[in-house]
């Protein structure tokens, strides 16, 4: 298994879990862009949102629920942002589907 986020989600590379269940693993981004910056990944390898299939709709919905649950647990009552960088133009650098949960500061729009 060569995928970085597969290794993190499986525990092959140790990390502190922010949330985990049988389908999902969440951990802190190594290079945070906000005071709260959590990465939420499916344990199942999916290259990117562009490769997700209708059979994975329930998993994708669950990932978003997990993002909201972590935001609640971290007290982000004023709001937050969930980002899914996809492909080269989307700025995706790790080819394992992941949600970024960003919060605890005023975020600007549009993104760069
Ligand atoms: P992308 O650019 O693909 O949307 O997001 C990848 C994210 O993974 C980046 O925000 C980057 O900081 C983070 N990242 C890359 N390598 C590691 C790592 O080894 N550990 C952790 N915790 N985050 C990583
Ligand atoms: Zn993977």
């Amino acid at each position: 298994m060569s995928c970085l986020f597969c290794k993190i989600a499986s525990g092959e590379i140790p990390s502190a879990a922010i949330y985990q269940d049988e389908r999902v693993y969440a951990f802190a981004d190594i290079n945070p862009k906000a005071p709260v910056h959590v990465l939420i990944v499916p344990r199942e390898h999916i290259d990117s949102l562009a490769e997700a299939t209708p059979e994975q709709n329930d998993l994708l919905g669950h990932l978003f629920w997990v993002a909201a649950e972590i935001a609640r647990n971290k007290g982000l009552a004023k709001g937050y942002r969930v980002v899914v960088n996809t492909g080269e133009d989307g700025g995706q650098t790790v080819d394992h589907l992941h949600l970024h949960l960003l919060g605890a500061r005023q975020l600007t729009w549009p993104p760069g």
Side-chain angles (χ1 to χ4, degrees):
M1 190 203 307
S2 61
C3 170
L4 174 63
F5 286 177
C6 280
K7 288 179 178 169
I8 291 175
S10 69
E12 186 179 336
I13 295 176
S15 66
I18 290 172
Y19 173 94
Q20 60 180 321
D21 63 27
E22 68 282 358
R23 289 185 287 174
V24 171
Y25 189 81
F27 54 101
D29 196 292
I30 201 169
N31 183 16
K33 299 294 190 288
V36 171
H37 188 171
V38 179
L39 298 173
I40 302 154
V41 308
R43 293 188 188 275
E44 173 187 353
H45 180 92
I46 303 169
D47 280 345
S48 83
L49 185 62
E51 277 77 32
T53 65
E55 289 70 35
Q56 293 163 327
N57 281 354
D58 190 66
L59 174 60
L60 296 187
H62 184 58
L63 288 167
F64 278 90
W65 176 84
V66 168
E69 182 71 357
I70 294 170
R72 277 188 287 274
N73 292 339
K74 291 200 170 282
L76 301 180
K78 286 179 70 184
Y80 52 88
R81 188 171 295 166
V82 177
V83 174
V84 186
N85 295 329
T86 304
E88 187 179 348
D89 276 5
Q92 184 176 2
T93 59
V94 177
D95 290 336
H96 179 129
L97 173 66
H98 50 282
L99 274 55
H100 296 259
L101 170 65
L102 297 150
R105 71 169 169 84
Q106 177 66 62
L107 298 163
T108 59
W109 191 264

